[in-house]
Amino acid sequence: RKMAWDEDKLLRQLEFYMSDASLPYDTFLAGELRRSEADATVSVSAATLAGFPRVVALLPDLSAEERAEALVAAAARSDTLRACDGGHIGRRFPLPADDPAADHSVFLEGLPPSADEAAVLEVLAACVPDAAPASTRRLRDLKDDRQARAFSGKWHVELADAAAAQAVVDAAAAKSLRKPGGQALRATLLRAHYEAEAAKVAEYRRKTAEKQAKRKAEAEAAEAEALRHAHKEHGKVLRFSGWAADRQALLDACGAHGEVAWADDGAEGHVRFKSREGAAAALAALQAEGAAAPPLDSNGAGPAAADAEMGETDAVAEAGEAGGAAEAGAKRARDGDSSAEEPAAKRPAGGGEAGAEAGAEAGGEAGGEAGAAWAMLSDAEVDEYWKQLQLRLAAKKAGGGGGGFGEEKGVVLAFEGVGPGAQREDLKALASRWGEVRFVDFNRGDSDGFVRFAAAGGAKAALEALAAGGEEVSGATPQWRLLDAAEEEAYKQRVQERNAARNAPPPLEKGLLLRFEGAGADTDREQVSALCGEWGTVDFVDYSRGDASGTVRFRSPADAKAALDGLGGGAELGGEATAWRQVEGEEEEAYVAAVREKMAARKGGGKGGKGKG
């Protein structure tokens, strides 16, 4: 069966690629543009866009040619794009740098997202009566994929001449350009606005390049340091495949023959022992118990479990071989992260006879050993294994952790078609039957989402079981598939961008915060975000499930004001009417200071709590 795609999401993505906020800064598409001499507009081949990772992720079951056709069909629904000859998709309006009207146009913001052209004309007529617009264009918020092409409250307004445009800008600077209700609007000359945006992009890229250079240097240093210590692990690392039981059974089976420092979780991976003698004894015993299994090949090496280095941290630190790893593991433990388990070396595999019995029974009751294949890593393979582990630890310490992703690919399953009452806990419980789940990327009320596994083996086992069907989630049977390499990379980038925006310190701009009181006990963050998202773009919801109150941070003061106007009538959350107010003055300053202090403590290794919603 083919998955149907979300046409609104596809159109939003297409419009974003071609928007004023993206296309002028896309160095790849800049070389793909076809320009129209007639109206100064540009177009791009639909076949080119069809190969973009996010388009592939949105249209997983279509060929490249079918994806191009779907994009052309989507463009026909757009009010800013059009289908052109030659299989191209074009803009209806020139880019700001090419627009002959840019010198006598303004970028207007601060109106509520629901405002229409009549509202714009009313504001200008009341505040700048001599500045009659020649045309207006209403802009959408296309950066936030949670907003389904929602209007942003921002406008391009073309005036009769440059003097009229400057009069509007001057009125905004004097706070006399106001919307009905009294709030001041902001206006900038169109060309100046986009020149400022271009400067921001250039500065961001400069800082990013500096960070990448720093991380590269740190990675090279970490690699050199890792190779200095790798020889200590020679003869201690076994590789396995075909393991059918859970990680604890693996620890028990190996621990019966030697002390285990670390074991990966999944059907295949690595087990690292504290001594060469323990590894050799375990290999001999386990190969005998799994003699019927086909031998492993010796191609490649490296930790099998995504983010396994964070669990290995304690064992590495105990050996005194990676101070940075110890810091990373300790921080996870202090933060209450359940994945920062006590290392296997510190957990008894079972004392005396009990431990031996556990090891002997693992192949019987758990069924893990039977059919599993085992091999000792060569010295060269151990060098590579240890090097990759230390490189990821160094990247994690430097802040390059990638939003919870490890180096291993093939760990993300996409699903679609869960029931309306589905929750993250339901999905995690289901997927965890086949492997350790790192994260369930899902919002209540959606029908689709993603599950991120700790290891590719877990994702593969889950897919094989779930693709057969029959497993319901909240009364419906979803479809499952494994993201390919391009899709997974695009998803990883999307998660990193989302996490960066979510974790960014609140900006200094005033008027972004609303406080609510009286929420019902069943309220969660997703409900608050969805409610507020009807009025503007929400950057963060500071709320824990079960609380009666919380704070919402909006993208702009205009969005916050529009939400306050719309929610002031007692909107319901969790079945209870809520009261909303603006966070202002000293209260606003105190809140921002407290959030920044909390975030600084987390970065410095402090405790930092986690919300329950």
Side-chain angles (χ1 to χ4, degrees):
R1 294 178 297 172
K2 288 189 175 183
M3 283 190 186
W5 63 86
D6 189 318
E7 293 183 352
D8 285 338
K9 287 184 178 180
L10 179 64
L11 178 55
R12 186 208 66 81
Q13 189 64 49
L14 175 60
E15 288 181 332
F16 174 72
Y17 286 144
M18 302 293 288
S19 70
D20 295 331
S22 175
L23 188 57
Y25 319 116
D26 192 318
T27 54
F28 172 76
L29 284 181
E32 302 291 321
L33 296 180
R34 186 177 73 178
R35 298 184 178 274
S36 169
E37 298 296 333
D39 57 7
T41 59
V42 296
S43 63
V44 178
S45 167
T48 297
L49 296 171
F52 281 23
R54 292 191 182 182
V55 174
V56 174
L58 288 168
L59 304 173
D61 300 309
L62 302 188
S63 66
E65 182 178 348
E66 290 171 331
R67 291 197 299 271
E69 292 174 355
L71 288 170
V72 172
R77 298 176 50 224
S78 174
D79 52 9
T80 59
L81 304 177
R82 60 190 175 190
C84 303
D85 61 341
H88 274 59
I89 294 172
R91 288 171 51 103
R92 293 181 182 271
F93 308 98
L95 287 166
D98 303 330
D99 190 351
D103 291 328
H104 54 272
S105 298
V106 298
F107 187 90
L108 182 66
E109 54 186 325
L111 288 163
S114 59
D116 57 13
E117 185 179 46
V120 175
L121 298 178
E122 180 183 351
V123 167
L124 293 176
C127 304
V128 195
D130 295 332
S135 68
T136 64
R137 179 152 64 96
R138 190 179 186 184
L139 305 182
R140 298 181 187 274
D141 182 0
L142 300 172
K143 289 186 178 181
D144 190 345
D145 58 11
R146 297 170 298 175
Q147 306 288 332
R149 302 178 64 241
F151 288 111
S152 63
K154 300 172 183 177
W155 293 75
H156 285 186
V157 181
E158 179 187 358
L159 286 303
D161 53 38
Q166 188 61 53
V168 174
V169 173
D170 292 343
K175 307 295 184 184
S176 60
L177 186 66
R178 296 180 175 274
K179 69 177 184 180
Q183 184 177 354
L185 304 178
R186 296 180 297 281
T188 314
L189 291 176
L190 191 67
R191 195 177 300 282
H193 172 81
Y194 284 103
E195 286 174 351
E197 291 298 302
K200 291 178 184 177
V201 171
E203 178 64 10
Y204 171 79
R205 288 176 175 170
R206 183 190 67 78
K207 290 182 177 179
T208 299
E210 288 181 353
K211 290 179 181 178
Q212 290 174 341
K214 180 181 178 182
R215 288 173 183 167
K216 181 180 179 182
E218 290 172 343
E220 290 172 349
E223 178 178 356
E225 183 67 13
L227 291 177
R228 287 182 57 233
H229 293 286
H231 71 279
K232 297 180 181 180
E233 302 303 318
H234 289 174
K236 297 181 184 179
V237 185
L238 303 185
R239 181 172 61 236
F240 65 88
S241 66
W243 186 258
D246 60 17
R247 184 171 181 267
Q248 187 57 53
L250 179 66
L251 290 169
D252 292 341
C254 294
H257 308 290
E259 192 175 359
V260 176
W262 174 256
D264 286 339
D265 185 18
E268 57 187 37
H270 298 81
V271 178
R272 185 165 60 86
F273 287 81
K274 298 287 283 186
S275 68
R276 294 180 178 87
E277 294 76 14
L283 179 63
L286 293 169
Q287 280 185 330
E289 293 163 358
L296 285 173
D297 64 44
S298 58
N299 294 329
D307 279 348
E309 70 275 11
M310 299 314 299
E312 282 219 76
T313 296
D314 291 330
V316 173
E318 182 181 322
E321 298 171 358
E327 180 182 336
K331 180 179 183 301
R332 283 172 68 99
R334 287 195 299 270
D335 285 350
D337 191 329
S338 60
S339 65
E341 298 174 341
E342 183 180 10
K346 297 181 182 179
R347 290 194 302 272
E353 295 181 6
E357 289 174 6
E361 291 173 3
E365 287 188 22
E369 295 172 37
W374 294 84
M376 180 79 74
L377 293 192
S378 68
D379 290 352
E381 289 175 325
V382 171
D383 288 346
E384 182 64 18
Y385 170 92
W386 196 253
K387 182 183 77 172
Q388 293 299 327
L389 173 62
Q390 300 304 319
L391 285 175
R392 291 203 302 278
L393 283 167
K396 184 74 72 174
K397 183 180 178 183
F405 288 84
E407 295 296 321
E408 190 177 16
K409 305 300 182 184
V411 297
V412 182
L413 296 189
F415 61 86
E416 182 172 342
V418 299
Q423 300 185 44
R424 280 197 186 105
E425 292 79 4
D426 302 332
L427 291 157
K428 184 172 184 179
L430 174 61
S432 295
R433 297 182 196 171
W434 295 280
E436 181 185 350
V437 173
R438 289 287 184 193
F439 187 70
V440 177
D441 190 353
F442 174 74
N443 291 323
R444 184 183 297 175
D446 289 351
S447 62
D448 58 353
F450 302 88
V451 176
R452 230 161 50 222
F453 285 81
K460 182 180 178 182
L463 179 65
E464 290 175 352
L466 293 168
E471 294 285 353
E472 289 192 357
V473 180
S474 188
T477 304
Q479 301 177 56
W480 297 80
R481 65 182 183 83
L482 183 70
L483 298 192
D484 63 27
E487 292 175 316
E488 188 169 342
E489 183 60 30
Y491 172 71
K492 177 179 178 179
Q493 292 176 6
R494 196 158 62 244
V495 170
Q496 291 172 331
E497 292 168 3
R498 187 172 64 200
N499 289 346
R502 184 176 296 155
N503 295 328
L508 294 175
E509 189 173 11
K510 305 294 185 182
L512 301 179
L513 304 175
L514 295 188
R515 182 76 175 169
F516 63 89
E517 306 278 351
D522 294 333
T523 303
D524 58 26
R525 280 197 187 109
E526 287 80 7
Q527 293 175 18
V528 179
S529 183
L531 177 64
C532 295
E534 297 178 10
W535 306 96
T537 301
V538 174
D539 270 347
F540 188 72
V541 176
D542 187 357
Y543 175 75
S544 293
R545 185 181 297 171
D547 290 351
S549 60
T551 304
V552 180
R553 190 173 86 235
F554 288 84
R555 180 73 52 83
S556 72
D559 290 346
K561 182 63 168 62
L564 182 61
D565 292 343
L567 298 169
E572 287 193 359
L573 282 173
E576 300 290 340
T578 53
W580 294 77
R581 62 180 176 82
Q582 188 99 39
V583 179
E584 299 176 297
E586 293 182 359
E587 182 186 15
E588 183 179 30
E589 293 174 2
Y591 175 84
V592 172
V595 171
R596 287 183 170 172
E597 182 179 351
K598 185 184 297 184
M599 295 180 71
R602 287 179 181 174
K603 289 182 179 178
K607 285 191 176 179
K610 294 187 177 182
K612 294 176 271 185

